[in-house]
């Protein structure tokens, strides 16, 4: 299973997102059953996309993340391309369609 970097401060979040390339952010809360059950599935998906940097943010530890990304529910999955939001999924995320979207974006990014 892919290891996600745990982000605990806004400064760490800025440093993570201010890099070129593909970055993925998984935002959740510990008391969210959907978040807890979805995370291992998402980690498995990213085993196929090792070129994507991955991170986890607990919205309780970094509360400003909700305002920064206009988050009203969790989990929220955001893929960034060169520091800009490119794909967003929230709450109930079907794994196979998510994986197909991700594959198209990663292949397109790698082909340029």
């Amino acid at each position: 299973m892919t290891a996600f970097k745990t982000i605990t401060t806004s400064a760490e979040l800025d440093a993570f997102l201010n890099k070129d390339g593909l970055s993925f952010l998984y935002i959740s809360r510990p008391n969210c059953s959907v978040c807890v059950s979805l995370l291992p599935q998402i980690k498995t998906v990213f085993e196929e996309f090792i070129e994507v940097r991955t991170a986890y943010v607990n919205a309780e530890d970094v509360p400003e993340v909700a305002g920064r990304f206009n988050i009203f529910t969790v989990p929220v999955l955001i893929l960034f391309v060169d520091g800009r939001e490119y794909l967003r999924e929230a709450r109930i995320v079907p794994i196979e369609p998510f994986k197909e979207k991700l594959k198209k974006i990663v292949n397109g990014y790698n082909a340029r």
Side-chain angles (χ1 to χ4, degrees):
M1 204 176 299
T2 301
F4 278 41
K5 172 181 174 53
T6 300
I7 293 177
T8 58
T9 67
S10 286
E12 287 178 14
L13 181 58
D14 290 339
F16 179 76
L17 295 177
N18 289 333
K19 293 181 182 173
D20 287 341
L22 300 166
S23 306
F24 175 78
L25 200 56
Y26 187 91
I27 303 166
S28 73
R29 292 183 181 273
N31 62 347
C32 166
S33 61
V34 174
C35 302
V36 171
S37 65
L38 183 61
L39 183 57
Q41 296 174 64
I42 295 299
K43 285 182 175 181
T44 300
V45 166
F46 278 95
E47 289 176 355
E48 295 180 35
F49 303 101
I50 58 171
E51 63 269 64
V52 179
R53 289 185 313 278
T54 55
Y56 167 85
V57 177
N58 177 342
E60 290 181 1
D61 291 342
V62 189
E64 54 274 17
V65 75
R68 180 172 180 176
F69 296 113
N70 295 316
I71 294 172
F72 300 100
T73 187
V74 286
V76 175
L77 294 67
I78 307 174
L79 179 70
F80 296 86
V81 176
D82 296 330
R84 284 179 278 195
E85 184 176 328
Y86 199 84
L87 173 68
R88 178 186 291 232
E89 299 285 340
R91 197 68 184 146
I92 306 299
V93 179
I95 296 301
E96 285 308 312
F98 174 73
K99 191 174 177 179
E100 286 305 311
K101 290 176 189 175
L102 189 58
K103 182 187 273 185
K104 287 179 183 178
I105 294 166
V106 170
N107 289 343
Y109 185 83
N110 290 336
R112 43 179 216 158

